[in-house]
Amino acid sequence: MRCSIFLALLFSPTATLAQLTVYTSRADATTTADDSAPSAAYTGLPAYDPTRLEAPAPPQPPISSYTLSVPGSASSAIEQGLGLSIEHLGNFLGFSIELSVANNVLGKSAGTLKPQFLNYMANIRDRAGAGPIIRVGGNTQDSSTLYVDGLPNGETIEKIKVGQDKYGNAINTPVINFSPDLFYTMSNITSLVGAQWYFGIAFNESDVTQLTHNPPVVAEYAQKILGTSLRGLVVGNEPDLYVRHNHRPEGWGVTNYVDEYNLVTREILDSNVLLNTTAFVGPSLCCGVDGFFLNDVLNAGYLSEENSPHIAHLTVQSYPTNNCQLGGNIINAQDIFADFLNHTSAVSLTSAYANDVATVRDAGKEIMMMEMNSASCGGFAGLSDSFGVAMWMTDWALQMAYYNFSSALMHVGGQNVYYNPFTPPPTTYSSLYQWTTGSVYYPTLVVAEAFGKSGNARIVDLNADQANIYHPAYAIYEGDTPVRLVLFNFISDESGASNLQVNVNLAGAQIAGSVSVRYFSASSVSEQYNITWGGQTMGSSFSSDGRLHGELQTETVQCNDGTCAINVPAPSIALVFLTPEAMTESNAPADVKAFTTTVVGEGSATVDVGSLETSNGKDPNIMGSTSKGNRGNSGQKVTVGAISTVMAAIFASMLILA
């Protein structure tokens, strides 16, 4: 998360009842149509802001149809110069959770998980064939310390605010203390939904040689507790902004960064605590400022012969714009809304990394987008939580997959951001309200079903409709066979004049006499809550239990001589399954059991006790060296993080808002 001086947006402050206006439909909210700030009628937290923007006028004259020729085989797509991506699984699009809010999102402790979160993650697992990819870190990882003997009152995370505004919100990056219970929480989530993890190691020291946050201890605990579900240790977060945020002196640059990276990673390796020495992930650059482009870091020796064997893969981070308001530069969301509603954005954002991706892959490494979202410093009201941006997020994710990124993670903050894919209610009201699903959660499901469970899905941008920026289209191949199409219509047009009929020509492809179509849709690109995927929805603010509700809708389209007429309403995305097997592979199993939620009791939920009774990798012989109040080699064993063996499983009542 960029612009750390605005870290008020990383917290989940206690709110007053007046701040928690619940909107169960758009008609309930009084909004402004032309302002990115909350309306005068709304004084609550940004995560629930009902501000709605104006949809841009549809382009004229309207286009109502075009013909899309799809190569009948992967080999013919390559012969035509379209290119094909590397192979992907359906869990390509995952989440980056800010460390400071991890306990609010994941669960209060290893024995008190959030079943709403588990349901959100299970939705992806059931469609993707693998558990969701999640990073815990961000700006706050760089000011974090692991206390192996635990924290007061058994807390998993302790936040120490550094500077506060008049409301008590932090205005600088808070100091974060955490206990091993955080790793046990993550491990238990893995045992239930197959989550795969990245964890951020502190790097942001004025004198990194002091290593006061003791990275070797964090690395040891993370690996031993999380085991094979730990994909990598993220060393530092956005070092290209360290000087601008006054975390390094003027003149500190790429060479200094690589030297410090080598010092930290060598300290960890020399401690001999790693079970897997191909452990490190970075450099997680965001902005390319002050000479900090990825190519500069590589040229400075980041992938040296000594370093390369210990680097799991490389990472970058990206936000197309910001709401930081630095130097009085205030961006009006309405003015930039149209920038997100076309294919140009996804292509330009991704193509900027084309050379870096090629260089990294030539070196035998993967590259991933570690953190991304619509706008840094919390996003924009009415924009970051809109259906239009959800379409844009889907397009960007597919474009990154096409450019051979291995995965991409949407950032998740606290109550004071607009872009969250999901937000738990403020702690004080967790016994009264459910979660709020952001529009950008839905793309994880669209992408999961587009790639399916095979693990050999390859994607190509078809450059559709003569490269019309409002009508991008992708084809997905498994082996040599086209199996799915993703068709976009970015235009919002209440008149219906811009509704599309895409005449898909599949000549040469072996398909049945019909195809199946599932829609990601809303009435307008400005819509925030009344959004459906396959006819199902996650509901409005404070109303989601993490599950899709409603009847799943899939349309059948008859084809004639290899041509299928697919309707793509304005606005919507159509996922076309070219074979019955392709749809079966993408579907969630019919007999999946959801995690029970309730709004009564601490943590506002229960999880089946039997599901939590797993070994979860707990090792009583892990030795500590940063216990609270004693930063020496204490030799203390882990004394926190044990799974609760008894949880209240039955509550007297349940309230789920419609």
Side-chain angles (χ1 to χ4, degrees), residues 70-87 402 456-460 462 475-483 506-510 578:
V70 179
S73 65
S75 54
S76 62
I78 295 172
E79 290 170 1
Q80 293 176 32
L82 293 173
L84 277 176
S85 73
I86 60 175
E87 295 179 339
Y402 176 50
N456 65 353
R458 303 171 71 191
I459 189 169
V460 56
L462 294 171
I476 291 119
Y477 294 79
E478 292 180 356
D480 201 41
T481 305
V483 292
L506 290 159
Q510 298 298 315
L578 301 180

PDB file of all heavy atoms in Angstrom, residues 70-87 402 456-460 462 475-483 506-510 578:
ATOM      1  N   VAL A  70     -12.123 -17.229 -33.875  1.00  0.00           N
ATOM      2  CA  VAL A  70     -11.295 -17.836 -32.831  1.00  0.00           C
ATOM      3  C   VAL A  70     -10.449 -18.939 -33.450  1.00  0.00           C
ATOM      4  O   VAL A  70     -10.993 -19.856 -34.089  1.00  0.00           O
ATOM      5  CB  VAL A  70     -12.172 -18.425 -31.710  1.00  0.00           C
ATOM      6  CG1 VAL A  70     -11.299 -19.076 -30.642  1.00  0.00           C
ATOM      7  CG2 VAL A  70     -13.050 -17.338 -31.100  1.00  0.00           C
ATOM      8  N   PRO A  71      -9.131 -18.863 -33.324  1.00  0.00           N
ATOM      9  CA  PRO A  71      -8.298 -19.946 -33.849  1.00  0.00           C
ATOM     10  C   PRO A  71      -8.767 -21.290 -33.301  1.00  0.00           C
ATOM     11  O   PRO A  71      -8.998 -21.440 -32.103  1.00  0.00           O
ATOM     12  CB  PRO A  71      -6.898 -19.589 -33.357  1.00  0.00           C
ATOM     13  CG  PRO A  71      -6.931 -18.104 -33.180  1.00  0.00           C
ATOM     14  CD  PRO A  71      -8.314 -17.799 -32.712  1.00  0.00           C
ATOM     15  N   GLY A  72      -8.890 -22.279 -34.189  1.00  0.00           N
ATOM     16  CA  GLY A  72      -9.430 -23.562 -33.785  1.00  0.00           C
ATOM     17  C   GLY A  72      -8.493 -24.420 -32.990  1.00  0.00           C
ATOM     18  O   GLY A  72      -8.890 -25.491 -32.491  1.00  0.00           O
ATOM     19  N   SER A  73      -7.244 -23.974 -32.843  1.00  0.00           N
ATOM     20  CA  SER A  73      -6.274 -24.727 -32.049  1.00  0.00           C
ATOM     21  C   SER A  73      -5.238 -23.769 -31.488  1.00  0.00           C
ATOM     22  O   SER A  73      -5.061 -22.651 -31.999  1.00  0.00           O
ATOM     23  CB  SER A  73      -5.582 -25.795 -32.910  1.00  0.00           C
ATOM     24  OG  SER A  73      -4.808 -25.185 -33.927  1.00  0.00           O
ATOM     25  N   ALA A  74      -4.552 -24.202 -30.452  1.00  0.00           N
ATOM     26  CA  ALA A  74      -3.491 -23.379 -29.876  1.00  0.00           C
ATOM     27  C   ALA A  74      -2.365 -23.174 -30.879  1.00  0.00           C
ATOM     28  O   ALA A  74      -1.794 -22.086 -30.984  1.00  0.00           O
ATOM     29  CB  ALA A  74      -2.963 -24.039 -28.603  1.00  0.00           C
ATOM     30  N   SER A  75      -2.066 -24.210 -31.633  1.00  0.00           N
ATOM     31  CA  SER A  75      -0.985 -24.099 -32.613  1.00  0.00           C
ATOM     32  C   SER A  75      -1.323 -23.079 -33.691  1.00  0.00           C
ATOM     33  O   SER A  75      -0.455 -22.312 -34.132  1.00  0.00           O
ATOM     34  CB  SER A  75      -0.688 -25.463 -33.230  1.00  0.00           C
ATOM     35  OG  SER A  75      -1.861 -26.043 -33.776  1.00  0.00           O
ATOM     36  N   SER A  76      -2.595 -23.019 -34.114  1.00  0.00           N
ATOM     37  CA  SER A  76      -2.965 -22.025 -35.122  1.00  0.00           C
ATOM     38  C   SER A  76      -2.940 -20.614 -34.546  1.00  0.00           C
ATOM     39  O   SER A  76      -2.630 -19.654 -35.251  1.00  0.00           O
ATOM     40  CB  SER A  76      -4.341 -22.339 -35.701  1.00  0.00           C
ATOM     41  OG  SER A  76      -5.348 -22.285 -34.705  1.00  0.00           O
ATOM     42  N   ALA A  77      -3.253 -20.463 -33.249  1.00  0.00           N
ATOM     43  CA  ALA A  77      -3.149 -19.145 -32.614  1.00  0.00           C
ATOM     44  C   ALA A  77      -1.714 -18.657 -32.635  1.00  0.00           C
ATOM     45  O   ALA A  77      -1.435 -17.471 -32.886  1.00  0.00           O
ATOM     46  CB  ALA A  77      -3.667 -19.213 -31.178  1.00  0.00           C
ATOM     47  N   ILE A  78      -0.786 -19.572 -32.391  1.00  0.00           N
ATOM     48  CA  ILE A  78       0.636 -19.212 -32.420  1.00  0.00           C
ATOM     49  C   ILE A  78       1.059 -18.870 -33.838  1.00  0.00           C
ATOM     50  O   ILE A  78       1.771 -17.883 -34.077  1.00  0.00           O
ATOM     51  CB  ILE A  78       1.480 -20.366 -31.848  1.00  0.00           C
ATOM     52  CG1 ILE A  78       1.156 -20.560 -30.361  1.00  0.00           C
ATOM     53  CG2 ILE A  78       2.969 -20.090 -32.038  1.00  0.00           C
ATOM     54  CD1 ILE A  78       1.789 -21.792 -29.749  1.00  0.00           C
ATOM     55  N   GLU A  79       0.590 -19.655 -34.813  1.00  0.00           N
ATOM     56  CA  GLU A  79       0.929 -19.405 -36.212  1.00  0.00           C
ATOM     57  C   GLU A  79       0.413 -18.041 -36.675  1.00  0.00           C
ATOM     58  O   GLU A  79       1.036 -17.385 -37.519  1.00  0.00           O
ATOM     59  CB  GLU A  79       0.346 -20.511 -37.087  1.00  0.00           C
ATOM     60  CG  GLU A  79       1.040 -21.856 -36.912  1.00  0.00           C
ATOM     61  CD  GLU A  79       0.282 -22.981 -37.614  1.00  0.00           C
ATOM     62  OE1 GLU A  79      -0.769 -22.672 -38.235  1.00  0.00           O
ATOM     63  OE2 GLU A  79       0.723 -24.137 -37.537  1.00  0.00           O
ATOM     64  N   GLN A  80      -0.717 -17.617 -36.105  1.00  0.00           N
ATOM     65  CA  GLN A  80      -1.283 -16.327 -36.479  1.00  0.00           C
ATOM     66  C   GLN A  80      -0.612 -15.158 -35.761  1.00  0.00           C
ATOM     67  O   GLN A  80      -0.988 -14.005 -35.950  1.00  0.00           O
ATOM     68  CB  GLN A  80      -2.783 -16.319 -36.187  1.00  0.00           C
ATOM     69  CG  GLN A  80      -3.584 -17.272 -37.057  1.00  0.00           C
ATOM     70  CD  GLN A  80      -5.053 -17.304 -36.676  1.00  0.00           C
ATOM     71  OE1 GLN A  80      -5.616 -16.307 -36.227  1.00  0.00           O
ATOM     72  NE2 GLN A  80      -5.695 -18.453 -36.870  1.00  0.00           N
ATOM     73  N   GLY A  81       0.375 -15.454 -34.927  1.00  0.00           N
ATOM     74  CA  GLY A  81       1.111 -14.405 -34.239  1.00  0.00           C
ATOM     75  C   GLY A  81       0.422 -13.852 -33.019  1.00  0.00           C
ATOM     76  O   GLY A  81       0.838 -12.818 -32.472  1.00  0.00           O
ATOM     77  N   LEU A  82      -0.636 -14.503 -32.546  1.00  0.00           N
ATOM     78  CA  LEU A  82      -1.351 -14.017 -31.362  1.00  0.00           C
ATOM     79  C   LEU A  82      -0.604 -14.343 -30.085  1.00  0.00           C
ATOM     80  O   LEU A  82      -0.712 -13.624 -29.094  1.00  0.00           O
ATOM     81  CB  LEU A  82      -2.760 -14.619 -31.319  1.00  0.00           C
ATOM     82  CG  LEU A  82      -3.707 -14.158 -32.423  1.00  0.00           C
ATOM     83  CD1 LEU A  82      -5.007 -14.955 -32.368  1.00  0.00           C
ATOM     84  CD2 LEU A  82      -3.991 -12.677 -32.306  1.00  0.00           C
ATOM     85  N   GLY A  83       0.123 -15.447 -30.100  1.00  0.00           N
ATOM     86  CA  GLY A  83       0.869 -15.838 -28.909  1.00  0.00           C
ATOM     87  C   GLY A  83      -0.028 -16.478 -27.879  1.00  0.00           C
ATOM     88  O   GLY A  83      -1.236 -16.246 -27.842  1.00  0.00           O
ATOM     89  N   LEU A  84       0.560 -17.294 -27.027  1.00  0.00           N
ATOM     90  CA  LEU A  84      -0.165 -17.936 -25.933  1.00  0.00           C
ATOM     91  C   LEU A  84       0.634 -17.792 -24.659  1.00  0.00           C
ATOM     92  O   LEU A  84       1.869 -17.785 -24.675  1.00  0.00           O
ATOM     93  CB  LEU A  84      -0.390 -19.429 -26.229  1.00  0.00           C
ATOM     94  CG  LEU A  84      -1.585 -19.807 -27.106  1.00  0.00           C
ATOM     95  CD1 LEU A  84      -1.576 -21.307 -27.352  1.00  0.00           C
ATOM     96  CD2 LEU A  84      -2.892 -19.394 -26.451  1.00  0.00           C
ATOM     97  N   SER A  85      -0.075 -17.685 -23.559  1.00  0.00           N
ATOM     98  CA  SER A  85       0.580 -17.495 -22.267  1.00  0.00           C
ATOM     99  C   SER A  85       1.168 -18.804 -21.754  1.00  0.00           C
ATOM    100  O   SER A  85       0.981 -19.877 -22.336  1.00  0.00           O
ATOM    101  CB  SER A  85      -0.433 -16.971 -21.244  1.00  0.00           C
ATOM    102  OG  SER A  85      -1.333 -18.017 -20.874  1.00  0.00           O
ATOM    103  N   ILE A  86       1.844 -18.703 -20.620  1.00  0.00           N
ATOM    104  CA  ILE A  86       2.212 -19.882 -19.853  1.00  0.00           C
ATOM    105  C   ILE A  86       0.932 -20.521 -19.303  1.00  0.00           C
ATOM    106  O   ILE A  86      -0.152 -19.946 -19.399  1.00  0.00           O
ATOM    107  CB  ILE A  86       3.166 -19.523 -18.695  1.00  0.00           C
ATOM    108  CG1 ILE A  86       2.489 -18.512 -17.732  1.00  0.00           C
ATOM    109  CG2 ILE A  86       4.479 -18.976 -19.228  1.00  0.00           C
ATOM    110  CD1 ILE A  86       3.303 -18.199 -16.489  1.00  0.00           C
ATOM    111  N   GLU A  87       1.045 -21.690 -18.716  1.00  0.00           N
ATOM    112  CA  GLU A  87      -0.116 -22.377 -18.165  1.00  0.00           C
ATOM    113  C   GLU A  87      -0.521 -21.768 -16.829  1.00  0.00           C
ATOM    114  O   GLU A  87       0.333 -21.390 -16.018  1.00  0.00           O
ATOM    115  CB  GLU A  87       0.189 -23.859 -17.999  1.00  0.00           C
ATOM    116  CG  GLU A  87       0.430 -24.562 -19.334  1.00  0.00           C
ATOM    117  CD  GLU A  87       0.755 -26.034 -19.171  1.00  0.00           C
ATOM    118  OE1 GLU A  87       1.180 -26.428 -18.056  1.00  0.00           O
ATOM    119  OE2 GLU A  87       0.583 -26.799 -20.145  1.00  0.00           O
ATOM    120  N   TYR A 402      -1.946 -13.194 -19.605  1.00  0.00           N
ATOM    121  CA  TYR A 402      -1.516 -13.272 -21.002  1.00  0.00           C
ATOM    122  C   TYR A 402      -0.049 -12.870 -21.150  1.00  0.00           C
ATOM    123  O   TYR A 402       0.696 -13.439 -21.956  1.00  0.00           O
ATOM    124  CB  TYR A 402      -2.424 -12.376 -21.850  1.00  0.00           C
ATOM    125  CG  TYR A 402      -2.053 -12.274 -23.314  1.00  0.00           C
ATOM    126  CD1 TYR A 402      -1.808 -13.412 -24.078  1.00  0.00           C
ATOM    127  CD2 TYR A 402      -1.973 -11.029 -23.943  1.00  0.00           C
ATOM    128  CE1 TYR A 402      -1.486 -13.313 -25.426  1.00  0.00           C
ATOM    129  CE2 TYR A 402      -1.659 -10.924 -25.289  1.00  0.00           C
ATOM    130  CZ  TYR A 402      -1.414 -12.068 -26.023  1.00  0.00           C
ATOM    131  OH  TYR A 402      -1.098 -11.970 -27.360  1.00  0.00           O
ATOM    132  N   ASN A 456      -3.444 -26.387 -16.909  1.00  0.00           N
ATOM    133  CA  ASN A 456      -2.766 -26.170 -18.193  1.00  0.00           C
ATOM    134  C   ASN A 456      -3.533 -25.218 -19.098  1.00  0.00           C
ATOM    135  O   ASN A 456      -3.444 -25.290 -20.316  1.00  0.00           O
ATOM    136  CB  ASN A 456      -2.505 -27.502 -18.902  1.00  0.00           C
ATOM    137  CG  ASN A 456      -3.783 -28.209 -19.316  1.00  0.00           C
ATOM    138  OD1 ASN A 456      -4.879 -27.774 -18.973  1.00  0.00           O
ATOM    139  ND2 ASN A 456      -3.658 -29.295 -20.057  1.00  0.00           N
ATOM    140  N   ALA A 457      -4.284 -24.298 -18.465  1.00  0.00           N
ATOM    141  CA  ALA A 457      -5.021 -23.293 -19.233  1.00  0.00           C
ATOM    142  C   ALA A 457      -4.063 -22.209 -19.723  1.00  0.00           C
ATOM    143  O   ALA A 457      -3.300 -21.641 -18.942  1.00  0.00           O
ATOM    144  CB  ALA A 457      -6.124 -22.688 -18.378  1.00  0.00           C
ATOM    145  N   ARG A 458      -4.126 -21.921 -21.014  1.00  0.00           N
ATOM    146  CA  ARG A 458      -3.299 -20.877 -21.622  1.00  0.00           C
ATOM    147  C   ARG A 458      -4.221 -19.866 -22.290  1.00  0.00           C
ATOM    148  O   ARG A 458      -5.202 -20.224 -22.929  1.00  0.00           O
ATOM    149  CB  ARG A 458      -2.320 -21.480 -22.627  1.00  0.00           C
ATOM    150  CG  ARG A 458      -1.407 -22.540 -22.020  1.00  0.00           C
ATOM    151  CD  ARG A 458      -0.607 -23.272 -23.085  1.00  0.00           C
ATOM    152  NE  ARG A 458       0.415 -22.415 -23.669  1.00  0.00           N
ATOM    153  CZ  ARG A 458       1.119 -22.736 -24.760  1.00  0.00           C
ATOM    154  NH1 ARG A 458       0.874 -23.869 -25.398  1.00  0.00           N
ATOM    155  NH2 ARG A 458       2.043 -21.917 -25.213  1.00  0.00           N
ATOM    156  N   ILE A 459      -3.889 -18.593 -22.148  1.00  0.00           N
ATOM    157  CA  ILE A 459      -4.801 -17.532 -22.578  1.00  0.00           C
ATOM    158  C   ILE A 459      -4.184 -16.695 -23.688  1.00  0.00           C
ATOM    159  O   ILE A 459      -2.951 -16.529 -23.756  1.00  0.00           O
ATOM    160  CB  ILE A 459      -5.195 -16.644 -21.373  1.00  0.00           C
ATOM    161  CG1 ILE A 459      -6.310 -15.666 -21.759  1.00  0.00           C
ATOM    162  CG2 ILE A 459      -3.986 -15.911 -20.804  1.00  0.00           C
ATOM    163  CD1 ILE A 459      -6.929 -14.959 -20.568  1.00  0.00           C
ATOM    164  N   VAL A 460      -5.043 -16.176 -24.560  1.00  0.00           N
ATOM    165  CA  VAL A 460      -4.601 -15.289 -25.627  1.00  0.00           C
ATOM    166  C   VAL A 460      -5.598 -14.134 -25.749  1.00  0.00           C
ATOM    167  O   VAL A 460      -6.807 -14.330 -25.651  1.00  0.00           O
ATOM    168  CB  VAL A 460      -4.479 -16.040 -26.970  1.00  0.00           C
ATOM    169  CG1 VAL A 460      -5.782 -16.710 -27.357  1.00  0.00           C
ATOM    170  CG2 VAL A 460      -4.016 -15.110 -28.089  1.00  0.00           C
ATOM    171  N   LEU A 462      -7.432 -11.866 -28.113  1.00  0.00           N
ATOM    172  CA  LEU A 462      -7.808 -12.034 -29.517  1.00  0.00           C
ATOM    173  C   LEU A 462      -7.830 -10.734 -30.310  1.00  0.00           C
ATOM    174  O   LEU A 462      -8.131 -10.736 -31.506  1.00  0.00           O
ATOM    175  CB  LEU A 462      -9.177 -12.717 -29.602  1.00  0.00           C
ATOM    176  CG  LEU A 462      -9.214 -14.162 -29.077  1.00  0.00           C
ATOM    177  CD1 LEU A 462     -10.647 -14.659 -29.006  1.00  0.00           C
ATOM    178  CD2 LEU A 462      -8.360 -15.076 -29.939  1.00  0.00           C
ATOM    179  N   ALA A 475      -9.383 -15.930 -25.492  1.00  0.00           N
ATOM    180  CA  ALA A 475      -9.646 -17.361 -25.648  1.00  0.00           C
ATOM    181  C   ALA A 475      -8.718 -18.118 -24.712  1.00  0.00           C
ATOM    182  O   ALA A 475      -7.561 -17.718 -24.516  1.00  0.00           O
ATOM    183  CB  ALA A 475      -9.429 -17.809 -27.085  1.00  0.00           C
ATOM    184  N   ILE A 476      -9.212 -19.185 -24.127  1.00  0.00           N
ATOM    185  CA  ILE A 476      -8.428 -20.027 -23.238  1.00  0.00           C
ATOM    186  C   ILE A 476      -8.355 -21.425 -23.836  1.00  0.00           C
ATOM    187  O   ILE A 476      -9.378 -22.004 -24.224  1.00  0.00           O
ATOM    188  CB  ILE A 476      -9.029 -20.066 -21.823  1.00  0.00           C
ATOM    189  CG1 ILE A 476      -8.854 -18.691 -21.146  1.00  0.00           C
ATOM    190  CG2 ILE A 476      -8.367 -21.125 -20.962  1.00  0.00           C
ATOM    191  CD1 ILE A 476     -10.102 -18.031 -20.765  1.00  0.00           C
ATOM    192  N   TYR A 477      -7.133 -21.925 -23.923  1.00  0.00           N
ATOM    193  CA  TYR A 477      -6.875 -23.238 -24.501  1.00  0.00           C
ATOM    194  C   TYR A 477      -6.354 -24.179 -23.418  1.00  0.00           C
ATOM    195  O   TYR A 477      -5.615 -23.767 -22.519  1.00  0.00           O
ATOM    196  CB  TYR A 477      -5.832 -23.149 -25.624  1.00  0.00           C
ATOM    197  CG  TYR A 477      -6.299 -22.370 -26.826  1.00  0.00           C
ATOM    198  CD1 TYR A 477      -6.305 -20.970 -26.828  1.00  0.00           C
ATOM    199  CD2 TYR A 477      -6.741 -23.024 -27.978  1.00  0.00           C
ATOM    200  CE1 TYR A 477      -6.737 -20.253 -27.925  1.00  0.00           C
ATOM    201  CE2 TYR A 477      -7.181 -22.312 -29.094  1.00  0.00           C
ATOM    202  CZ  TYR A 477      -7.169 -20.933 -29.054  1.00  0.00           C
ATOM    203  OH  TYR A 477      -7.607 -20.219 -30.152  1.00  0.00           O
ATOM    204  N   GLU A 478      -6.738 -25.429 -23.534  1.00  0.00           N
ATOM    205  CA  GLU A 478      -6.138 -26.493 -22.731  1.00  0.00           C
ATOM    206  C   GLU A 478      -5.571 -27.503 -23.715  1.00  0.00           C
ATOM    207  O   GLU A 478      -6.315 -28.067 -24.528  1.00  0.00           O
ATOM    208  CB  GLU A 478      -7.166 -27.126 -21.801  1.00  0.00           C
ATOM    209  CG  GLU A 478      -7.632 -26.178 -20.702  1.00  0.00           C
ATOM    210  CD  GLU A 478      -8.660 -26.792 -19.770  1.00  0.00           C
ATOM    211  OE1 GLU A 478      -9.073 -27.946 -20.030  1.00  0.00           O
ATOM    212  OE2 GLU A 478      -9.042 -26.121 -18.793  1.00  0.00           O
ATOM    213  N   GLY A 479      -4.264 -27.708 -23.636  1.00  0.00           N
ATOM    214  CA  GLY A 479      -3.626 -28.461 -24.692  1.00  0.00           C
ATOM    215  C   GLY A 479      -3.723 -27.679 -25.983  1.00  0.00           C
ATOM    216  O   GLY A 479      -3.392 -26.491 -26.039  1.00  0.00           O
ATOM    217  N   ASP A 480      -4.253 -28.310 -27.034  1.00  0.00           N
ATOM    218  CA  ASP A 480      -4.375 -27.627 -28.320  1.00  0.00           C
ATOM    219  C   ASP A 480      -5.800 -27.153 -28.582  1.00  0.00           C
ATOM    220  O   ASP A 480      -6.096 -26.630 -29.649  1.00  0.00           O
ATOM    221  CB  ASP A 480      -3.940 -28.594 -29.445  1.00  0.00           C
ATOM    222  CG  ASP A 480      -3.542 -27.857 -30.717  1.00  0.00           C
ATOM    223  OD1 ASP A 480      -2.876 -26.802 -30.613  1.00  0.00           O
ATOM    224  OD2 ASP A 480      -3.908 -28.336 -31.811  1.00  0.00           O
ATOM    225  N   THR A 481      -6.674 -27.307 -27.578  1.00  0.00           N
ATOM    226  CA  THR A 481      -8.102 -27.122 -27.800  1.00  0.00           C
ATOM    227  C   THR A 481      -8.635 -25.856 -27.132  1.00  0.00           C
ATOM    228  O   THR A 481      -8.378 -25.634 -25.944  1.00  0.00           O
ATOM    229  CB  THR A 481      -8.879 -28.334 -27.254  1.00  0.00           C
ATOM    230  OG1 THR A 481      -8.360 -29.530 -27.848  1.00  0.00           O
ATOM    231  CG2 THR A 481     -10.358 -28.215 -27.547  1.00  0.00           C
ATOM    232  N   PRO A 482      -9.382 -25.028 -27.859  1.00  0.00           N
ATOM    233  CA  PRO A 482     -10.045 -23.889 -27.201  1.00  0.00           C
ATOM    234  C   PRO A 482     -11.192 -24.404 -26.332  1.00  0.00           C
ATOM    235  O   PRO A 482     -12.021 -25.196 -26.780  1.00  0.00           O
ATOM    236  CB  PRO A 482     -10.567 -23.054 -28.368  1.00  0.00           C
ATOM    237  CG  PRO A 482     -10.752 -24.032 -29.490  1.00  0.00           C
ATOM    238  CD  PRO A 482      -9.691 -25.071 -29.306  1.00  0.00           C
ATOM    239  N   VAL A 483     -11.235 -23.940 -25.075  1.00  0.00           N
ATOM    240  CA  VAL A 483     -12.246 -24.453 -24.149  1.00  0.00           C
ATOM    241  C   VAL A 483     -13.168 -23.368 -23.612  1.00  0.00           C
ATOM    242  O   VAL A 483     -14.317 -23.643 -23.246  1.00  0.00           O
ATOM    243  CB  VAL A 483     -11.592 -25.212 -22.978  1.00  0.00           C
ATOM    244  CG1 VAL A 483     -10.957 -26.502 -23.464  1.00  0.00           C
ATOM    245  CG2 VAL A 483     -10.573 -24.335 -22.254  1.00  0.00           C
ATOM    246  N   LEU A 506     -16.117 -20.458 -34.807  1.00  0.00           N
ATOM    247  CA  LEU A 506     -15.249 -21.496 -34.257  1.00  0.00           C
ATOM    248  C   LEU A 506     -14.924 -22.554 -35.302  1.00  0.00           C
ATOM    249  O   LEU A 506     -14.725 -23.725 -34.985  1.00  0.00           O
ATOM    250  CB  LEU A 506     -15.922 -22.145 -33.048  1.00  0.00           C
ATOM    251  CG  LEU A 506     -16.015 -21.243 -31.813  1.00  0.00           C
ATOM    252  CD1 LEU A 506     -17.100 -21.720 -30.877  1.00  0.00           C
ATOM    253  CD2 LEU A 506     -14.673 -21.189 -31.106  1.00  0.00           C
ATOM    254  N   ALA A 507     -14.902 -22.163 -36.548  1.00  0.00           N
ATOM    255  CA  ALA A 507     -14.605 -23.115 -37.620  1.00  0.00           C
ATOM    256  C   ALA A 507     -13.258 -23.777 -37.358  1.00  0.00           C
ATOM    257  O   ALA A 507     -12.261 -23.110 -37.054  1.00  0.00           O
ATOM    258  CB  ALA A 507     -14.588 -22.397 -38.966  1.00  0.00           C
ATOM    259  N   GLY A 508     -13.241 -25.081 -37.459  1.00  0.00           N
ATOM    260  CA  GLY A 508     -12.013 -25.833 -37.210  1.00  0.00           C
ATOM    261  C   GLY A 508     -11.900 -26.342 -35.804  1.00  0.00           C
ATOM    262  O   GLY A 508     -11.084 -27.219 -35.507  1.00  0.00           O
ATOM    263  N   ALA A 509     -12.701 -25.796 -34.882  1.00  0.00           N
ATOM    264  CA  ALA A 509     -12.687 -26.277 -33.496  1.00  0.00           C
ATOM    265  C   ALA A 509     -13.745 -27.359 -33.331  1.00  0.00           C
ATOM    266  O   ALA A 509     -14.821 -27.297 -33.929  1.00  0.00           O
ATOM    267  CB  ALA A 509     -12.965 -25.131 -32.531  1.00  0.00           C
ATOM    268  N   GLN A 510     -13.414 -28.337 -32.524  1.00  0.00           N
ATOM    269  CA  GLN A 510     -14.346 -29.426 -32.279  1.00  0.00           C
ATOM    270  C   GLN A 510     -15.268 -29.045 -31.122  1.00  0.00           C
ATOM    271  O   GLN A 510     -14.902 -29.144 -29.960  1.00  0.00           O
ATOM    272  CB  GLN A 510     -13.569 -30.708 -31.948  1.00  0.00           C
ATOM    273  CG  GLN A 510     -12.674 -31.196 -33.068  1.00  0.00           C
ATOM    274  CD  GLN A 510     -13.457 -31.557 -34.315  1.00  0.00           C
ATOM    275  OE1 GLN A 510     -14.487 -32.219 -34.234  1.00  0.00           O
ATOM    276  NE2 GLN A 510     -12.959 -31.132 -35.472  1.00  0.00           N
ATOM    277  N   LEU A 578     -17.063 -23.672 -24.163  1.00  0.00           N
ATOM    278  CA  LEU A 578     -17.197 -24.235 -25.503  1.00  0.00           C
ATOM    279  C   LEU A 578     -17.537 -25.719 -25.489  1.00  0.00           C
ATOM    280  O   LEU A 578     -17.978 -26.256 -26.515  1.00  0.00           O
ATOM    281  CB  LEU A 578     -15.908 -23.991 -26.301  1.00  0.00           C
ATOM    282  CG  LEU A 578     -15.511 -22.524 -26.478  1.00  0.00           C
ATOM    283  CD1 LEU A 578     -14.226 -22.407 -27.280  1.00  0.00           C
ATOM    284  CD2 LEU A 578     -16.634 -21.727 -27.139  1.00  0.00           C
TER     285      LEU A 578
END
